[in-house]
Amino acid sequence: MKQHLYDNNNIFAKIIRGEVSCKKLDECPHTLTFYDINPQAPIHVLVIPKGAYIDIDDFSIKASVEEQAAFVAAIGRAAKLTGAFEKGYRIISNVGAFGHQEVPHLHVHILGGEPIGPIRGR
Ligand code: 5GP
């Protein structure tokens, strides 16, 4: 069953509140971008909204137009700042159990720096 109540104690909420540290790449009033603790590619960063949203479903319904625009802009900026945009990259946002989402705060993975391969490991 998909989670419907935001968990204020998830690890990304703690990072936003400054209770847990992260290696920050970029920040704006609505977003934070930092390096994944367990990188799956030479470039692996996570873009998150600062607001309390569980996943892209939650965000697309509840976030303001300003927050949504800031989130998309932050993804583009992260691709530039990491250099991932030069040769291409993949963005992934896992949702719920079937999507294998581990942290219940919306995040987009940016993976690059080498060929990322097919969309599934076939
Ligand atoms: P998900 O499976 O939810 O899409 O991805 C969660 C991601 O968060 C994983 O790639 C994991 O390595 C990363 N992660 C989990 N805990 C931390 C943390 O404390 N700091 C950072 N920087 N990344 C984390």
Side-chain angles (χ1 to χ4, degrees):
M1 210 26 199
K2 211 169 141 211
Q3 194 174 327
H4 291 292
L5 274 184
Y6 184 80
D7 170 15
N8 275 309
N9 284 320
N10 77 74
I11 191 76
F12 293 171
K14 291 179 181 175
I15 286 174
I16 291 164
R17 291 197 295 268
E19 296 165 10
V20 169
S21 64
C22 70
K23 191 178 165 199
K24 185 167 76 175
L25 174 71
D26 182 45
E27 187 172 13
C28 84
H30 293 299
T31 67
L32 181 64
T33 300
F34 53 95
Y35 289 87
D36 196 291
I37 205 167
N38 183 23
Q40 302 298 308
I43 296 170
H44 187 176
V45 297
L46 302 169
V47 183
I48 67 173
K50 289 183 178 174
Y53 303 105
I54 299 169
D55 57 27
I56 194 72
D57 296 337
D58 196 28
F59 186 71
S60 65
I61 292 166
K62 295 182 191 157
S64 67
V65 169
E66 197 183 6
E67 288 174 294
Q68 297 197 25
F71 191 59
V72 174
I75 294 168
R77 236 174 15 250
K80 275 264 162 78
L81 288 170
T82 55
F85 82 107
E86 285 177 22
K87 291 196 167 173
Y89 57 94
R90 178 164 300 143
I91 59 176
I92 301 171
S93 193
N94 297 323
V95 179
F98 276 18
H100 207 280
Q101 181 178 6
E102 289 175 358
V103 178
H105 180 108
L106 170 62
H107 51 284
V108 162
H109 299 255
I110 296 182
L111 295 158
E114 68 180 12
I116 302 302
I119 196 156
R120 294 183 71 176
R122 290 191 176 113

